[in-house]
Amino acid sequence: MRKRWISLLVTGLLVGGVLAPASPALAAPTFKVPFPCGQSWSGQTRSDHSPAYAVDFNRTDDLGDPVVASAPGTVDRVTDLGGTSYGKYVRINHGGGYSTYYAHLNGFNVSVGQTVGYGKVLGWVGSTGGSTGPHLHYEQRLNGADIQVRFNGALGLYWGTKTYTSDNGCSSGGSGSGTVDTSGTPLTVRSGPGTGYASVGTVADGTRVTIACQTSGTTVTGTYGTSSIWDRIGTGRFIADAYVYTGHDGYIPGVPRC
């Protein structure tokens, strides 16, 4: 009798195991390149990296460039390890066991517990911790283990270097504005960020312009001092920031770099 009860119990467990529905796996977030809309960055992966699937991002003169959230989530770590390891880094919990790391920052723009969305500036590219030069160390993790990165569902390059162009936050605005001040003279619009680019028109003094992004170019002395910043006010249309009142001395916070 005892053996029969054990047999029935085992059979019941097996049947229960077959019939019990499995918990569905949670889909990964749609991760995007961790930089503002339209920017192109060189991402390098290498098998001797720590952890192996992390990506190091670089571009020319990237020190101080904004780093943004690659997917919505909650900031659960804002830490400064000093001159070791990740240095200044941010971690975002995206739910379902997924998290992202942003390391070697030179400063923070978020706090623990803050909810963030695509394109939210977390901090700025730096060279803190064990870094030997400015770059962003970026990771995607699942249940604490690093995984190969995906952007918009597409697997990153392993192993090697690839250029990634961001569409992060492209639909969420992020533009700025300013007023042209030239004391009456029309301001020349260039096809690129510098006086060496072709003239493609003019903007009248006093015009209010929408600034899609900013970048560095030819140094110009204008109404608001000397500056190498140029403002893109349309496709292939740039004006010298030295002639534009934006309310900020330098780059406009929240406006992406071109």
Side-chain angles (χ1 to χ4, degrees):
M1 179 66 70
R2 188 174 181 180
K3 289 182 179 180
R4 183 168 182 268
W5 276 111
I6 292 173
S7 176
L8 288 172
L9 177 61
V10 171
T11 302
L13 289 173
L14 289 173
V15 171
V18 170
L19 296 179
S23 298
L26 293 176
T30 300
F31 292 114
K32 295 183 178 292
V33 176
F35 298 103
C37 174
Q39 292 187 0
S40 293
W41 287 74
S42 176
Q44 181 192 67
T45 57
R46 56 187 188 277
S47 58
D48 62 349
H49 206 173
S50 180
Y53 295 145
V55 182
D56 279 348
F57 282 104
N58 271 118
R59 72 173 187 170
T60 303
D61 298 325
D62 56 8
L63 179 64
D65 280 358
V67 173
V68 307
S70 60
T74 301
V75 177
D76 67 359
R77 186 168 294 177
V78 177
T79 303
D80 184 356
L81 298 178
T84 63
S85 188
Y86 290 175
K88 295 180 179 179
Y89 77 99
V90 170
R91 185 177 72 185
I92 299 178
N93 182 346
H94 302 282
Y98 291 93
S99 60
T100 49
Y101 285 65
Y102 311 77
H104 304 315
L105 304 175
N106 74 354
F108 303 120
N109 191 52
V110 290
S111 56
V112 172
Q114 184 173 343
T115 300
V116 297
Y118 289 118
K120 170 62 181 177
V121 177
L122 307 176
W124 298 272
V125 172
S127 187
T128 58
S131 171
T132 57
H135 70 284
L136 174 69
H137 173 102
Y138 172 81
E139 300 175 22
Q140 293 174 6
R141 294 195 181 197
L142 176 59
N143 297 324
D146 68 306
I147 57 177
Q148 293 188 335
V149 304
R150 291 180 180 271
F151 298 119
N152 293 321
L155 183 66
L157 174 64
Y158 288 90
W159 310 94
T161 301
K162 177 181 176 179
T163 297
Y164 297 88
T165 299
S166 175
D167 67 345
N168 194 331
C170 290
S171 62
S172 61
S175 63
S177 61
T179 302
V180 174
D181 184 353
T182 58
S183 301
T185 305
L187 179 61
T188 301
V189 180
R190 302 285 181 177
S191 63
T195 55
Y197 287 87
S199 171
V200 291
T202 60
V203 177
D205 181 33
T207 300
R208 187 76 173 169
V209 294
T210 297
I211 301 170
C213 61
Q214 297 180 295
T215 189
S216 60
T218 305
T219 299
V220 172
T221 299
T223 307
Y224 299 103
T226 300
S227 175
S228 63
I229 298 174
W230 285 72
D231 305 328
R232 183 166 70 79
I233 60 171
T235 302
R237 293 173 58 83
F238 291 81
I239 56 175
D241 189 70
Y243 287 102
V244 183
Y245 177 75
T246 63
H248 299 278
D249 184 14
Y251 288 103
I252 304 171
V255 172
R257 293 277 295 276
C258 302

